[in-house]
Amino acid sequence: MTNYLRFRNGGGLALLYALLGTLCKTGCGQIRYSVPEELEKGSFVGNIAKDLGLEPQELAERGVRIVSRGRTQLFALNPRSGSLVTAGRIDREELCAQSARCLVSFNILVEEKLKIFEVEIEIKDINDNAPDFLTEELEIKIGELTVPGTRFPLKTAFDPDAGMNSLLNYQLSPNEYFSLAVKSVSDGAKYPELVLQRALDREEKKAHQLVLIASDGGDPVLSSNLCIQVIVLDANDNPPVFTQPEYRVSVQENLPVGTWLLTVNATDPDEGFNAQVSYVLDKMPGKIAQIFYLNSVTGDLSISQSLDYEDATFYEIKIEAQDGLGLLSRAKILVTVLDVNDNAPEITITSLTGSVPEEATAGREIALINVHDRDSGQNGQVTVFVLGNMPFNLEKSINRYYRLVTARCLDREQVSEYNITLRATDGGSPPLSTDTHITLHVADINDNPPAFTHASYSAYIPENNPRGASIFSVTAQDPDSIQNAHITYALTEDAFQGAPLSTYISINSDTGVLYALCSFDYEQVRNLELLVTASDSGNPPLSSNVSLSIFVLDQNDNAPEILYPTLPTDGSMGVELAPRSAEPGHVVTKVVAVDRDSGQNAWLSYRLLKASEPGLFAVGLHTGEVRTARALLDRDALKQSLVVAVQDHGQPPLSATVTLTVAVADSIPDVLAELGSLKPSADPDDSGLTLYLVVAVAAVSCVFLAFVVVLLALRLRCWHRSHVLQASGSVPVGVPASHFVGVDGVRAFLQTYSHEVSLTADSRKSHVIFPQPSYADTLVSQESCEKSEPLLISQDLLEMKGDPKQLQNRAVLS
């Protein structure tokens, strides 16, 4: 192509076209042209119009055209110039490869004349291709023991040009080990060969770089290069060699398993399999092969078992390096183990006392211990001490022995068991320590008496309790243990109301529960004072006492007791006198009652249950005074009957009733007059009774006069005695002692009325009491001079109010 361009730019281009474009007519309508390859598109090939005998403008008029035969058209007609030109770049090597001649044929049709002309164009070769090896590099492997003169075939070059433009010869770059030999065959092809001139040594030079040059015969000459790399193959002619005959390393004993220590290295100048060095541990006694691991490929030495300075401080390891075919060399590794504080101190209890009595004095030996540390130097220096604020000391004994002793007397009641912790610490950095525990029991002695939980006890029991009932429980504690803390309870022997306490109360000796042996009556026994003793079972036994007060609680088990008015013992009944002139609120009498219970159970209230004349009398709720509720009228009956109930406030409440008979009259004569004014009975049988009544009235009058005289004498006597009592100061001045009465500690000033004139008729005694106001004790004393007797009248006499005849007869009989 270069030659073509150079030729094209020269002055003979036109001449060349003229020569190539010579029209040759052979046979009927055949036209031949010759054109070089690699012309540009539109380049002149030949004057087709002239060769067809036409003018250029006639090509289009006559329908001249190229008839394609199904292949790419390489040429075209230029209708303006009438020339045949190239339709594109023409590559001869592409069209015809290495053929000697390259011809392209096609037809031209003249439609007007229907003539076909065959055109044949020869494509001329130019030197536009250099020889090509099809690869840029070639590697040849030759063993270093190969005999000189040995030949090795090389790659051949290819040149698509033809003739002199094709491949001409080969050349080898100069070197001292190889030469080039070219072998020719019958078809003219040339094959290069590499010839070994001298023996190779891979250790001296393992690769040789050569260049093979292929050139053609064109002008100018074109060539190409092939880089040849000769690899010298190794032969196992060298053993491995360690980088140093002896390796040294110092390691700490606490390195974890698998830790890398060092890497050994051996080199082999051979290569490939011959240079593949493997490392192995030489056979050694003991467990060295188990402690260390040598990687056969990398030469890394690591730990396969834990090191222990206390077991071994130095190791000598023998190793071997082998290449692929068994050549070997030897070295050794010296490993020094450095001590670290990896062993905690050990505490051994040589002798131990499990318990010690609390009475033991200071210095009592408890245990003998030994401490030891497997480390060395400062790491093996051990100190031991007791943890916490414990009453124990460690005393140094021989070698590494220590005595654990008490520092003071022990008290089991404060601490019955000690968990002693001993700690041993070494001097390493960081220090290591070990704890051991000793359990020490403090043996009990009976040095504590039982102690009650309270200084004294108070128990409350309701009266009428069932016999054998549990009423209370006392508890004592003894800080001692076992038998020394086993407590029994007992009551101190004493007497109450002339009988032993044991007849009233008993106690369970094991539990301290108290039981009532009898049913208590609040009205007889209100409290008991006991002394309870608690004793332990020690030797000797210890005891303590506590006082117990038992209070009997009142229950409402007593009904009110009416003290006034009292029922006569002679069969008659008492009668209270109410003057007809009494104003409303006049005190007729007073019902006096007491209750043996106490508190609310003895709080009494009075009420009127029944009255013969409703609304005439009223009873004070809390005083018991019977008062007139309204003024007395003439029509009111002489005899009034009242039923008064007295009730306490217990639960349930209890009550008592009393029946009062009240005579409505201003005086005893009035009573008698009213009795005499009663109409005679219509019964003729009562006429004899009237005589008796008259006689009775006369007798009564006589007796009355005598009674007045006696009464005056008694009054004078009582007056004299009252002055004597006032002078002695036993009662308040001006107020008789009977004016005050105590009920449950409360003194009430009560007013009563006494009548001191009695009338007796017949054998059935009927006493009429003159109304004489006076003050008397509600709780009437039999010995009191202020004694007031009610008017005693026979019940039969009062019943004759509606029968005057019977009354008269009774009087006569009297």
Side-chain angles (χ1 to χ4, degrees):
M1 184 66 180
T2 303
N3 296 334
Y4 164 71
L5 292 177
R6 189 179 301 167
F7 182 80
R8 183 181 180 184
N9 292 331
L13 181 60
L15 179 59
L16 176 62
Y17 282 165
L19 293 176
L20 294 176
T22 302
L23 179 61
C24 298
K25 294 182 179 179
T26 61
C28 182
Q30 186 176 30
I31 303 171
R32 287 195 176 103
Y33 298 103
S34 177
V35 64
E37 63 175 332
E38 301 295 340
L39 290 178
E40 292 183 359
K41 180 180 180 180
S43 297
F44 177 79
V45 176
N47 192 343
I48 192 65
K50 180 180 178 181
D51 292 338
L52 293 176
L54 301 174
E55 293 298 329
Q57 62 272 15
E58 291 180 342
L59 293 178
E61 295 174 357
R62 294 177 180 269
V64 177
R65 60 185 177 84
I66 297 175
V67 179
S68 175
R69 295 180 179 176
R71 60 182 298 177
T72 302
Q73 192 59 252
L74 300 178
F75 301 95
L77 294 176
N78 187 342
R80 296 179 60 185
S81 63
S83 300
L84 182 65
V85 297
T86 59
R89 187 185 70 83
I90 300 174
D91 188 356
R92 178 187 178 279
E93 289 74 31
E94 182 179 349
L95 291 175
C96 303
Q98 289 184 317
S99 300
R101 293 185 65 191
C102 184
L103 298 176
V104 177
S105 299
F106 58 88
N107 296 326
I108 293 179
L109 173 65
V110 180
E111 292 184 356
E112 181 183 8
K113 297 180 179 181
L114 295 177
K115 290 184 177 181
I116 294 178
F117 296 89
E118 182 180 358
V119 179
E120 185 178 83
I121 300 175
E122 182 181 2
I123 306 301
K124 298 292 185 180
D125 181 51
I126 64 173
N127 193 22
D128 58 344
N129 293 284
D132 187 10
F133 283 100
L134 302 180
T135 182
E136 294 181 356
E137 294 182 355
L138 175 63
E139 183 180 87
I140 300 175
K141 296 181 179 180
I142 304 175
E144 63 176 331
L145 300 181
T146 303
V147 178
T150 305
R151 294 190 174 198
F152 301 94
L154 301 178
K155 296 291 184 180
T156 57
F158 173 74
D159 194 334
D161 294 330
M164 293 298 296
N165 294 328
S166 65
L167 179 64
L168 182 60
N169 57 30
Y170 295 95
Q171 282 185 323
L172 183 64
S173 60
N175 66 91
E176 58 180 325
Y177 287 95
F178 299 95
S179 62
L180 181 64
V182 179
K183 182 179 180 181
S184 298
V185 293
S186 57
D187 60 354
K190 298 178 180 180
Y191 297 96
E193 292 180 344
L194 188 65
V195 181
L196 179 62
Q197 295 295 322
R198 55 178 290 190
L200 300 175
D201 187 357
R202 195 202 65 81
E203 287 73 34
E204 181 180 346
K205 189 175 183 179
K206 61 182 179 180
H208 298 268
Q209 304 295 332
L210 306 176
V211 178
L212 178 63
I213 304 170
S215 58
D216 59 19
D219 186 19
V221 176
L222 298 179
S223 63
S224 62
N225 298 332
L226 174 63
C227 294
I228 302 173
Q229 183 178 17
V230 178
I231 305 298
V232 181
L233 298 178
D234 181 53
N236 191 25
D237 54 350
N238 295 284
V241 177
F242 281 101
T243 55
Q244 58 190 68
E246 190 174 274
Y247 296 87
R248 294 180 180 270
V249 63
S250 296
V251 297
Q252 293 182 333
E253 62 173 328
N254 63 344
L255 291 179
V257 173
T259 301
W260 171 86
L261 300 182
L262 56 82
T263 300
V264 297
N265 186 30
T267 59
D268 192 324
D270 297 327
E271 68 173 1
F273 182 72
N274 298 325
Q276 291 181 1
V277 180
S278 60
Y279 305 92
V280 294
L281 293 175
D282 196 2
K283 293 183 179 181
M284 292 171 290
K287 299 181 180 180
I288 297 178
Q290 300 177 4
I291 297 175
F292 298 96
Y293 171 73
L294 181 63
N295 190 304
S296 62
V297 177
T298 62
D300 293 337
L301 182 68
S302 59
I303 302 173
S304 58
Q305 289 185 3
S306 298
L307 299 177
D308 192 350
Y309 175 84
E310 290 68 37
D311 290 342
T313 60
F314 179 80
Y315 294 95
E316 180 177 329
I317 307 171
K318 296 179 179 180
I319 58 175
E320 294 179 352
Q322 297 179 354
D323 61 16
L325 294 180
L327 297 180
L328 59 86
S329 61
R330 293 183 175 88
K332 60 182 177 179
I333 302 173
L334 304 179
V335 179
T336 301
V337 181
L338 302 178
D339 181 43
V340 295
N341 192 25
D342 62 339
N343 291 284
E346 299 175 359
I347 301 177
T348 303
I349 300 177
T350 304
S351 176
L352 175 64
T353 299
S355 64
V356 59
E358 59 180 327
E359 62 185 358
T361 59
R364 180 71 172 263
E365 185 175 292
I366 299 171
L368 181 65
I369 64 172
N370 175 263
V371 294
H372 175 67
D373 196 317
R374 297 180 61 198
D375 295 323
S376 61
Q378 188 67 24
N379 297 332
Q381 298 296 323
V382 182
T383 58
V384 61
F385 52 92
V386 180
L387 284 183
N389 187 17
M390 292 280 189
F392 304 101
N393 292 330
L394 279 172
E395 296 179 354
K396 178 73 173 176
S397 184
I398 59 173
N399 296 332
R400 296 184 178 182
Y401 285 90
Y402 294 86
R403 295 170 60 248
L404 179 65
V405 298
T406 57
R408 63 173 186 269
C409 292
L410 306 180
D411 188 352
R412 195 206 65 85
E413 286 69 45
Q414 293 182 358
V415 181
S416 62
E417 181 180 281
Y418 290 93
N419 291 317
I420 308 170
T421 301
L422 303 178
R423 175 167 294 176
T425 304
D426 59 25
S429 180
L432 299 178
S433 60
T434 300
D435 293 347
T436 189
H437 305 280
I438 296 176
T439 300
L440 178 66
H441 299 278
V442 181
D444 182 51
I445 61 173
N446 193 26
D447 57 345
N448 292 280
F452 287 95
T453 55
H454 295 85
S456 62
Y457 293 91
S458 296
Y460 299 88
I461 176 175
E463 64 173 329
N464 303 320
N465 58 285
R467 293 182 179 181
S470 171
I471 59 175
F472 194 65
S473 175
V474 295
T475 302
Q477 302 292 337
D478 195 323
D480 295 326
S481 64
I482 314 175
Q483 288 298 112
N484 297 331
H486 183 263
I487 300 175
T488 56
Y489 301 90
L491 293 177
T492 302
E493 290 295 334
D494 200 352
F496 179 75
Q497 294 183 353
L501 276 177
S502 58
T503 61
Y504 294 92
I505 300 294
S506 69
I507 188 170
N508 188 308
S509 61
D510 294 326
T511 63
V513 178
L514 287 94
Y515 299 92
L517 299 181
C518 63
S519 180
F520 289 97
D521 187 356
Y522 173 82
E523 288 71 35
Q524 295 182 3
V525 179
R526 297 198 175 187
N527 67 288
L528 289 172
E529 296 294 333
L530 309 175
L531 195 64
V532 181
T533 301
S535 303
D536 59 27
S537 300
N539 187 19
L542 301 178
S543 63
S544 60
N545 299 325
V546 69
S547 62
L548 170 63
S549 299
I550 299 178
F551 298 94
V552 180
L553 300 178
D554 180 48
Q555 287 188 330
N556 194 25
D557 60 341
N558 291 283
E561 180 181 351
I562 298 175
L563 302 180
Y564 183 85
T566 58
L567 295 177
T569 60
D570 56 0
S572 63
M573 69 171 297
V575 177
E576 302 292 343
L577 187 63
R580 289 188 177 273
S581 61
E583 297 294 331
H586 176 75
V587 178
V588 177
T589 186
K590 179 180 178 67
V591 178
V592 179
V594 294
D595 196 316
R596 298 178 63 191
D597 297 323
S598 64
Q600 188 169 338
N601 297 329
W603 182 21
L604 304 180
S605 61
Y606 303 83
R607 60 190 177 93
L608 184 61
L609 285 182
K610 182 180 180 182
S612 58
E613 186 68 33
L616 180 58
F617 297 97
V619 178
L621 179 63
H622 300 297
T623 62
E625 294 178 345
V626 180
R627 297 175 180 269
T628 57
R630 60 176 174 80
L632 298 175
L633 303 177
D634 293 339
R635 59 180 176 81
D636 293 328
L638 171 64
K639 173 188 173 185
Q640 298 290 333
S641 179
L642 307 176
V643 179
V644 178
V646 182
Q647 180 175 292
D648 58 26
H649 286 73
Q651 290 296 331
L654 301 178
S655 62
T657 59
V658 63
T659 302
L660 302 176
T661 301
V662 179
V664 180
D666 291 329
S667 62
I668 292 178
D670 292 340
V671 173
L672 297 177
E674 289 186 11
L675 294 175
S677 64
L678 298 175
K679 294 181 179 182
S681 174
D683 188 359
D685 297 333
D686 294 337
S687 58
L689 181 61
T690 304
L691 178 61
Y692 290 106
L693 290 176
V694 172
V695 175
V697 169
V700 167
S701 299
C702 294
V703 174
F704 173 72
L705 293 176
F707 182 76
V708 168
V709 175
V710 174
L711 180 62
L712 291 176
L714 293 174
R715 280 292 186 184
L716 289 174
R717 181 186 175 192
C718 291
W719 176 83
H720 175 71
R721 290 180 61 186
S722 65
H723 281 298
V724 173
L725 292 174
Q726 290 178 7
S728 64
S730 60
V731 296
V733 179
V735 181
S738 61
H739 291 181
F740 298 90
V741 61
V743 179
D744 270 348
V746 180
R747 302 180 65 87
F749 185 71
L750 307 175
Q751 182 181 14
T752 62
Y753 292 85
S754 301
H755 307 279
E756 299 180 355
V757 178
S758 301
L759 176 64
T760 303
D762 203 5
S763 61
R764 300 171 64 185
K765 297 180 180 179
S766 298
H767 302 279
V768 178
I769 303 175
F770 281 1
Q772 177 65 37
S774 64
Y775 296 97
D777 194 341
T778 304
L779 304 178
V780 181
S781 174
Q782 297 296 330
E783 293 82 16
S784 174
C785 65
E786 299 293 331
K787 178 178 180 182
S788 175
E789 295 293 339
L791 176 63
L792 301 179
I793 301 178
S794 173
Q795 184 67 23
D796 296 337
L797 180 62
L798 292 177
E799 292 175 353
M800 290 188 300
K801 178 179 179 180
D803 195 351
K805 183 178 179 179
Q806 292 183 8
L807 182 60
Q808 182 179 5
N809 294 334
R810 294 281 182 92
V812 172
L813 292 175
S814 301

